[in-house]
Amino acid sequence: MSIKLAIVYYSSTGTITEIAKEMAETAEKAGAEVRLLKAAELAPQAAIDSNPAWAANHAATADVPVATPADVEWADAVIFGTPTRFGNMSSQLKQFIDTLGGLWAQGKLADKVYSGFVSTATSHGGQESTLLALYNSIHHFGGIVVTPGYTDPAKFVDGNPYGTSHVDAQGANPVNDTTRTAARIQTERVIKLTAALNRGLQG
């Protein structure tokens, strides 16, 4: 039985979009059923249009479905992605997580695997604090946080055991092989441990 994975992300200028796509491709290659989903945009169109990269990503991802609570209920595992906003997740992703209260009250967010990925404009720009803040919500869900840790030698290259992260330097640093490798390691680990958990629950 294939793993059902929801990748729910918010991306303004496209960095998180690229990482999300890498994770989706990796999961599909591993045999998972994947839903690649974006959090709804909250910013006004004028703000989007004021930044060419933001406007370009907004147009390029117009066909990506907007995530709903039903997608999280469907999934065995959820990977959340967000740029950092003052050391925390974006308001768009937080707004989506806040819509999950009904499922939480019914216990339907518990016993799933969750993980996260992030981008910042600068080094030390809040990558770890953003992921830790995201994982606070998962603890409230009764979810199981699966991080990459240092479970693969390549993790000593990117250096973030909390989740995949990328420094985009205001668009000057496109998503590179180091980040893509980190994304693949994290996704494969999520799939592997979700499969093991499902076997245990079914047994």
Side-chain angles (χ1 to χ4, degrees):
M1 188 173 181
S2 64
I3 299 302
K4 294 179 289 187
L5 172 67
I7 300 173
V8 180
Y9 75 92
Y10 174 73
S11 183
S12 52
T13 58
T15 299
I16 291 294
T17 299
E18 282 301 305
I19 299 171
K21 288 179 178 177
E22 187 73 37
M23 289 182 160
E25 291 174 7
T26 299
E28 287 170 350
K29 287 177 183 176
E33 183 180 352
V34 181
R35 292 185 184 179
L36 181 64
L37 307 156
K38 66 187 178 188
E41 182 58 81
L42 303 177
Q45 191 64 44
I48 297 168
D49 292 341
S50 70
N51 182 326
W54 193 354
N57 181 64
H58 186 70
T61 59
D63 61 341
V64 176
V66 172
T68 69
D71 294 308
V72 176
E73 183 176 6
W74 164 85
D76 300 309
V78 183
I79 305 179
F80 290 113
T82 179
T84 287
R85 296 291 185 261
F86 303 116
N88 211 320
M89 72 184 88
S90 64
S91 58
Q92 290 86 347
L93 184 63
K94 182 62 166 61
Q95 169 72 10
F96 173 71
I97 289 174
D98 285 348
T99 69
L100 301 178
L103 292 179
W104 169 80
Q106 299 172 66
K108 292 183 176 179
L109 300 179
D111 301 335
K112 297 177 185 286
V113 165
Y114 298 88
S115 201
F117 61 101
V118 68
S119 67
T120 56
T122 60
S123 298
H124 311 293
Q127 293 179 347
E128 294 175 0
S129 66
T130 298
L131 290 171
L132 289 170
L134 169 65
Y135 296 154
N136 283 339
S137 295
I138 308 311
H139 297 314
H140 283 255
F141 295 171
I144 299 160
V145 177
V146 171
T147 62
Y150 291 106
T151 57
D152 186 288
K155 288 301 298 174
F156 290 94
V157 179
D158 73 83
N160 190 341
Y162 300 90
T164 300
S165 58
H166 184 75
V167 177
D168 77 347
Q170 302 288 4
N173 295 334
V175 176
N176 56 21
D177 288 343
T178 298
T179 300
R180 292 183 188 279
T181 297
R184 289 192 292 270
I185 290 168
Q186 183 172 0
T187 305
E188 289 167 357
R189 183 166 163 78
V190 165
I191 296 297
K192 181 180 75 171
L193 293 181
T194 303
L197 175 66
N198 285 359
R199 287 194 299 270
L201 291 174
Q202 291 164 7

